[in-house]
Amino acid sequence: MKRLFLSIRNLKGVGEKRYQVYKKIGIETPYDLLYYLPRAYRDYRDPQPVAETAAEEQAVVCVTITQKRRPVFARGGTTLYFLESVDSEGTPLGIRIFNNMYSYQNLQVGRTYTMFGKIMFGQGGREIHSPQVHRESDNAIEAIYPQTTGLTSAMIRTNIRDALQIMDETPFETLPDALRDRYGLIPLPRAMHGIHEPADMEEADAARTRLAFEEMLRLQLGLRLLKARAAQETEHPMDPATDLSAYYESLPFSLTTAQQRAIEEIAADLSSGRPMNRLLQGDVGSGKTAVAAAACWYCVQNGCQCVLMAPTEILAAQHHHTLSAFLGPLGVEVCLLTGSLKAKEKRELYAKIADGTVQVIVGTHAVFQKAVEYHDLALVITDEQHRFGVAQRAALAEKGGVPHKLVMSATPIPRTLALMVYGDLEVSVLDVLPGGRKPIETYAVTGKMRARAMGFLTGELKKGRQAYIVCPAIEDGDSDLRSVTAYAEEMRGTLLAGWRIDILHGQMSAQEKDDAMERFRAHETDVLICTTVVEVGVDVPNATVMLIEDAERFGLSQLHQLRGRVGRGEHQSYCILVTEHATDEAKERLRLLSSTTDGFKVAEADLQLRGPGDFFGSMQHGLPPLKLATLTDTKMLHDVQEATDIILADDPDLSKPEDHALYAEIVRLFAQYGDNGLN
Ligand code: ADP
Ligand code: MG
């Protein structure tokens, strides 16, 4: 067992040079090598007839050597070797080898070889260049590893064979037998052989399933352990009898049942004596801010300060606006702290924060700058959390001891997935939209119908409503996509002549953006032509049309977020998706969006259509990356959740001997991703 964890230099064929290459890709021991997984397999059992091979493509063929030509010594020191061969159907194939005399000498006339290489069409017909000849003693299925300079798949295979041998001397296992039986998972040593040297593809699949399951399980257990660790005592215990009724009474609407439930869950957390770690998940427009404000009011009544952090200045400004409206009448001091404040304003604000005059601080990352000292910070709320990773979540803990944390996300993700990604958090879901809302009507149209769509849009403007138009970002420099300014000019002179138009894009300063947003909110402008800057959180209830140009460029979840900018008031709202060159897949996506307004359905579809990487974007950032497991495998996700519960129910901190191996693996996994309290 120990030998598995000694330096890889002890392996045959690993000298200083190869050792350095391995080190660069994070492989230091035979054990690491075992977890360096193939990206594909080459199957020598099933050679292609030469006549069916395509030029410029790699193929496995089986040929008999008929003649060896004399080597040709070319200029520049290259030696060219050429052999003639024929396959069982009688199709000739030339074999061209460069410089490798050894390879040439090993091939004998009259004998048959299975080989792999790139097929080229030469003057005399098909040729195979620098083929790899398969040896009888090798596996019929060969693993292919990710390409790295200085390391060929053949070298890696040889080293892995040795590592497997070391493993076989003292086989080990990380999953308890009962668990493996329950989910039909093969033992680890078999999985290691199966993934690196499968006898057939079924074996490779069984190995992959076993390893993927364990990968997910480690991640899930790790997050759950983090959650358990976080459950220490809080320095900010709050009174369970805190009365929220003044807040409820001051609201201009009554809360949805979902909002009430979330507030109760938060109140229970805040008064539990342990730090809160909660995710508030709700579709756009579900009213997360009102819940956040309730949490703030709860803290303020307990004499503490709260921070609400947003990813952009626009969002911060808007939250400031909303929280001031909700909490101002109750006598709460709410301030806005962003990077664009003047030095003097900042100093004054810092003083008020330090002496506790200001109770709720809304802002961007600026709220966590060193210079900001809090009087008694008890609650940190972050909006649109998918832009911050686990690492940042952990970093927040540094200010003011261990504050209570509330994370708000408008990206609806399927529940099993939420548990996976936010496994270290409790989850509250706002699954009810505020009453009186009419579902947004969504239409996908082609560019030909733009004039008609604009006619519809101006019809809404005539009723006193407002509209957003999203055109492609100017930052991406794609010349055939309209830039905001050019597009706005064009519209001013044509389809939108006479209406008050403003623009909003990422290259404007924070102040300019805020001003544009404020004018739109105050209905000094009718149409806001913008980039996806408005994607998250912006709230103007009087806006009823969202027209998105080149809609096919966006993912479903992103379109859903954009669509959520309208339908936030009492009026019927519309989303118009304009596409010029949509592929069938893109049309399918847009159709789906037209057929549902359920964010969870949209998220699920996005996940299926585009895969998890795309779907998560940077959300997964900060989580250890998954090598094998795919978050689209719902069945496995479900099984892993269940397995996690079973394991932790029996052994909450994985301290029993049978769980030691698994625990060690989890620590290893999380250790690679910074200090996060698991060691
Ligand atoms: P999001 O969850 O997208 O952040 P917001 O908190 O911005 O949603 O709320 C969207 C809009 O709905 C806001 O204008 C807010 O004032 C309003 N709202 C929130 N809760 C309710 C409710 N229970 N009844 C009516 N309107 C509500
Ligand atoms: Mg919001």
Side-chain angles (χ1 to χ4, degrees), residues 539-554:
D539 185 20
V540 180
N542 190 47
T544 56
V545 184
M546 166 63 73
L547 186 145
I548 304 172
E549 292 276 4
D550 296 322
E552 74 278 4
R553 304 176 340 120
F554 300 110

Side-chain angles (χ1 to χ4, degrees), residues 65-374:
I65 309 293
T66 51
Q67 201 195 331
K68 290 170 91 161
R69 294 201 199 147
R70 284 177 43 178
V72 176
F73 301 97
R75 258 174 300 172
T78 309
T79 313
L80 298 173
Y81 301 95
F82 195 86
L83 302 90
E84 291 170 23
S85 74
V86 64
D87 76 354
S88 62
E89 293 179 354
T91 319
L93 179 73
I95 302 170
R96 199 177 282 278
I97 296 169
F98 305 90
N99 291 327
N100 193 336
M101 181 177 67
Y102 176 77
S103 188
Y104 171 76
Q105 283 173 346
N106 271 331
L107 294 169
Q108 288 163 30
V109 173
R111 288 193 55 183
T112 303
Y113 301 92
T114 306
M115 54 181 74
F116 165 84
K118 195 171 188 178
I119 303 292
M120 306 293 272
F121 281 3
Q123 289 153 344
R126 284 186 174 83
E127 293 177 0
I128 189 164
H129 285 195
S130 308
Q132 260 186 46
V133 178
H134 186 246
R135 288 173 304 184
E136 287 296 312
S137 59
D138 287 345
N139 288 315
I141 298 176
E142 229 174 50
I144 310 186
Y145 295 90
Q147 206 85 61
T148 308
T149 19
L151 269 183
T152 64
S153 270
M155 291 175 189
I156 298 173
R157 270 198 300 276
T158 318
N159 294 144
I160 285 185
R161 187 170 311 145
D162 291 345
L164 285 169
Q165 218 165 47
I166 297 174
M167 177 191 77
D168 288 342
E169 287 162 17
T170 41
F172 65 103
E173 179 56 76
T174 42
L175 300 181
D177 293 351
L179 191 86
R180 280 204 337 267
D181 289 347
R182 186 182 174 101
Y183 299 105
L185 303 169
I186 61 174
L188 185 58
R190 241 179 82 199
M192 281 302 174
H193 279 282
I195 199 104
H196 292 293
E197 309 179 331
D200 50 45
M201 289 320 285
E202 286 72 45
E203 207 174 291
D205 285 345
R208 186 161 281 268
T209 302
R210 143 81 210 217
L211 295 172
F213 189 98
E214 182 170 351
E215 184 177 42
M216 265 199 209
L217 184 68
R218 288 177 191 177
L219 178 57
Q220 189 64 51
L221 278 169
L223 289 170
R224 292 275 289 273
L225 289 178
L226 272 180
K227 181 158 130 185
R229 294 283 160 90
Q232 326 117 324
E233 252 180 54
T234 172
E235 292 157 38
H236 312 279
M238 300 192 194
D239 183 358
T242 306
D243 184 12
L244 289 173
S245 54
Y247 173 70
Y248 295 145
E249 280 154 25
S250 77
L251 283 176
F253 45 73
S254 48
L255 295 166
T256 65
T257 50
Q259 284 171 316
Q260 285 168 22
R261 191 179 56 225
I263 292 172
E264 277 162 25
E265 285 164 347
I266 290 167
D269 284 352
L270 292 175
S271 56
S272 73
R274 289 183 287 124
M276 171 166 76
N277 264 305
R278 185 168 287 278
L279 169 70
L280 177 61
Q281 209 194 5
D283 215 339
V284 278
S286 58
K288 292 183 290 295
T289 323
V291 174
C296 291
W297 175 236
Y298 200 97
C299 288
V300 169
Q301 290 206 85
N302 281 275
C304 307
Q305 282 177 316
C306 316
V307 154
L308 195 164
M309 179 163 79
T312 64
E313 299 218 351
I314 291 190
L315 269 179
Q318 182 177 300
H319 279 312
H320 176 245
H321 182 91
T322 317
L323 288 190
S324 304
F326 286 159
L327 299 173
L330 301 170
V332 179
E333 277 290 324
V334 185
C335 75
L336 179 64
L337 175 56
T338 63
S340 55
L341 283 186
K342 295 193 187 67
K344 180 160 168 285
E345 294 170 327
K346 246 184 223 166
R347 264 199 315 277
E348 286 170 9
L349 198 49
Y350 287 171
K352 284 190 187 166
I353 294 172
D355 70 13
T357 323
V358 171
Q359 294 143 315
V360 177
I361 299 95
V362 184
T364 54
H365 288 85
V367 296
F368 287 113
Q369 259 149 29
K370 278 228 166 58
V372 191
E373 272 178 43
Y374 291 91

Side-chain angles (χ1 to χ4, degrees), residues 418-573:
L419 284 171
M420 197 67 190
V421 179
Y422 295 115
D424 55 335
L425 305 175
E426 308 284 345
V427 182
S428 293
V429 179
L430 296 186
D431 49 8
V432 181
L433 287 186
R437 295 273 172 82
K438 303 177 183 77
I440 302 163
E441 289 179 21
T442 303
Y443 303 98
V445 305
T446 64
K448 285 194 210 102
M449 292 168 74
R450 183 177 291 105
R452 257 180 74 189
M454 286 295 176
F456 177 80
L457 185 148
T458 47
E460 283 291 300
L461 301 183
K462 280 176 197 146
K463 289 188 212 159
R465 305 283 84 77
Q466 291 162 279
Y468 295 99
I469 299 180
V470 174
C471 59
I474 56 169
E475 288 90 344
D476 65 21
D478 246 328
S479 57
D480 60 349
L481 298 175
R482 297 160 209 80
S483 78
V484 178
T485 24
Y487 183 90
E489 272 319 301
E490 190 193 322
M491 288 297 145
R492 274 194 188 104
T494 55
L495 297 169
L496 296 178
W499 294 102
R500 297 168 299 174
I501 296 176
D502 224 340
I503 59 172
L504 184 70
H505 58 76
Q507 290 179 349
M508 287 160 60
S509 74
Q511 188 61 52
E512 289 169 336
K513 283 189 220 162
D514 285 354
D515 291 349
M517 240 10 263
E518 200 42 56
R519 284 193 296 274
F520 192 60
R521 203 192 330 265
H523 203 167
E524 289 163 24
T525 42
D526 302 301
V527 183
L528 190 61
I529 295 182
C530 51
T531 61
T532 51
V533 176
V534 290
E535 185 184 340
V536 279
V538 174
D539 185 20
V540 180
N542 190 47
T544 56
V545 184
M546 166 63 73
L547 186 145
I548 304 172
E549 292 276 4
D550 296 322
E552 74 278 4
R553 304 176 340 120
F554 300 110
L556 277 181
S557 295
Q558 201 179 4
L559 288 171
H560 181 67
Q561 297 259 333
L562 285 168
R563 172 167 70 178
R565 296 310 110 218
V566 295
R568 299 172 77 93
E570 74 225 69
H571 311 288
Q572 175 63 50
S573 292

